[in-house]
Amino acid sequence: MQNKFRNSAVVLTLTTLSAFLLACGNMAETPVPTSENKSTSSVNQAGEDTGSAEQTAADEGKVQQTRQFKDWTGHNATIPVTPERVIYHGEVTGDLVALGVIPVGILRQEGMVFDDLVANAEDVGFPFNVEKALGLNPDLIIFSNNDEEQYSQISKIAPTVTFNSFASLEDRMRILGDMLNKKQEAEEWITANKTATAEMWKQLHENGLKEGETASVFTMYPGNRLFVMAGAGLPQLLYGKDGLTPTDEIQKVIDEGMGFAEISLEKMTEVAGDRIFILDPVTDDAKQSTKELMDSPVWKNLPAVKAGKVYNFSIVKASGDAMSREWLLKELPKQMMQ
């Protein structure tokens, strides 16, 4: 039941954060399997009524090679060697974009750093809109969910693989690189990201960041609920090599395999680090709660607040995907070095 709720809700994080919080809590429960590269060849024969996507390829006289791919939840799916019309349904679309793959269908969220690059992609919605997906003639659907009932319906449209969007960024890029026949591009991106990340932290340390400084990431959820984030998105960058350190209370959350924890306002005094990062929410009521938080005596008396070491980021832009990571590597120094 827990996993089913997690996966039905996870995409709602794109507009409300709720599923982001729920999904992060299950990160430790779902190991990331590696894909299998057992390649086989098959031919879509012209004139054979095997579905609109295959028919289109056949009509154009194309020969499409396929192979077996073992996905996140253990399905052995037969997928194209080089997918050309991909639908990605999940919250890390930027991973595909960073590999040079622009999906024909996505779960759209306005305000991402790569909006212009996916402007022509169709929004397949939440829940997944089967009719829209059919009209896109996909040759591969990547489904960031482990709900078997939904998988069964979606996999009737086109070859479908499940994908753990809460795996580490490097793991995701390698899995997608394999899945999309972009292995070289994935390794090049990983290498470039490691170099850029190291250079960013070097720059920050040269400009006042001290070894061992702690950091906390907070966000407000509708209903005046305060959360400290630990295991996805911005924290993955902050708590990486050469970076900032989680406070003891946040480390406990991480050690428990949880991506977040709801806390009281009073608890902030124990959780807040030397530097505080606020993820600005999307909904109006959560925005109002954030304002009330910052007007509170507890907030105003935090050492980081008094020292002017508070940084605000849009929760949409400071996402965990590869394109957002590239943006954060440039934006983080801008804010921290002001």
Side-chain angles (χ1 to χ4, degrees):
M1 180 66 180
Q2 185 180 21
N3 276 342
K4 202 163 186 178
F5 182 53
R6 175 255 192 191
N7 291 300
S8 296
V10 67
V11 290
L12 295 180
T13 180
L14 302 175
T15 55
T16 68
L17 174 68
S18 60
F20 176 80
L21 299 174
L22 291 167
C24 288
N26 283 322
M27 288 172 62
E29 299 173 13
T30 50
V32 185
T34 57
S35 57
E36 294 180 353
N37 300 320
K38 299 176 181 177
S39 298
T40 58
S41 295
S42 66
V43 178
N44 289 337
Q45 298 179 4
E48 183 179 352
D49 186 12
T50 59
S52 56
E54 295 176 347
Q55 186 64 52
T56 300
D59 289 343
E60 294 174 358
K62 294 181 179 179
V63 175
Q64 187 180 48
Q65 291 187 325
T66 61
R67 68 185 181 104
Q68 294 300 112
F69 186 92
K70 186 174 182 179
D71 69 13
W72 169 38
T73 52
H75 305 105
N76 285 300
T78 301
I79 69 171
V81 170
T82 305
E84 296 180 354
R85 297 185 60 80
V86 179
I87 291 177
Y88 175 73
H89 194 265
E91 61 277 44
V92 291
T93 305
D95 290 359
L96 283 75
V97 176
L99 292 175
V101 176
I102 307 300
V104 296
I106 60 173
L107 177 59
R108 185 171 298 283
Q109 178 188 19
E110 300 298 335
M112 302 296 290
V113 298
F114 52 88
D115 274 357
D116 57 330
L117 298 176
V118 294
N120 294 326
E122 182 77 23
D123 181 7
V124 294
F126 179 83
F128 189 98
N129 189 312
V130 172
E131 184 177 349
K132 279 189 177 181
L134 279 168
L136 293 173
N137 296 327
D139 57 9
L140 178 66
I141 299 173
I142 304 173
F143 187 47
S144 291
N145 198 307
N146 65 8
D147 187 311
E148 282 298 315
E149 184 176 345
Q150 291 187 63
Y151 175 86
S152 177
Q153 295 174 350
I154 294 170
S155 61
K156 292 181 173 69
I157 301 169
T160 302
V161 293
T162 58
F163 177 68
N164 183 6
S165 57
F166 287 91
S168 72
L169 181 53
E170 286 190 18
D171 282 345
R172 295 198 317 264
M173 293 300 278
R174 287 195 169 102
I175 292 168
L176 288 170
D178 181 14
M179 186 191 302
L180 300 170
N181 200 12
K182 295 280 186 176
K183 284 185 178 182
Q184 180 176 341
E185 290 87 341
E187 292 303 325
E188 289 173 352
W189 189 93
I190 290 168
T191 299
N193 177 66
K194 286 181 177 178
T195 300
T197 302
E199 290 175 350
M200 181 199 71
W201 288 122
K202 182 176 183 290
Q203 180 186 20
L204 286 170
H205 283 296
E206 289 173 348
N207 285 272
L209 180 63
K210 298 178 177 62
E211 293 292 337
E213 280 196 60
T214 58
S216 308
V217 182
F218 297 105
T219 195
M220 295 298 299
Y221 173 72
N224 198 30
R225 299 170 67 188
L226 175 63
F227 288 86
V228 59
M229 310 307 296
L234 181 58
Q236 285 186 326
L237 172 59
L238 295 181
Y239 302 147
K241 185 177 182 292
D242 301 323
L244 291 150
T245 303
T247 62
D248 290 342
E249 290 296 317
I250 295 174
Q251 188 60 54
K252 290 177 184 177
V253 179
I254 295 172
D255 290 343
E256 291 173 6
M258 298 171 62
F260 69 96
E262 184 173 5
I263 63 171
S264 65
L265 176 61
E266 293 71 24
K267 185 75 172 177
M268 286 194 82
T269 57
E270 301 175 36
V271 179
D274 300 316
R275 297 177 186 263
I276 294 176
F277 297 81
I278 294 291
L279 298 179
D280 296 325
V282 175
T283 62
D284 289 340
D285 54 345
K287 289 178 181 178
Q288 179 60 32
S289 295
T290 303
K291 182 180 182 301
E292 292 170 1
L293 167 69
M294 294 182 175
D295 288 337
S296 69
V298 172
W299 172 265
K300 291 179 178 179
N301 284 310
L302 293 172
V305 176
K306 290 182 176 181
K309 295 181 178 180
V310 177
Y311 316 98
N312 289 71
F313 288 89
S314 161
I315 194 169
V316 179
K317 285 185 166 60
S319 296
D321 65 89
M323 293 296 289
S324 297
R325 174 62 61 86
E326 292 180 14
W327 178 82
L328 280 168
L329 289 175
K330 298 175 182 177
E331 196 64 24
L332 196 64
K334 290 180 185 178
Q335 288 216 31
M336 292 181 66
M337 290 168 55
Q338 285 180 354

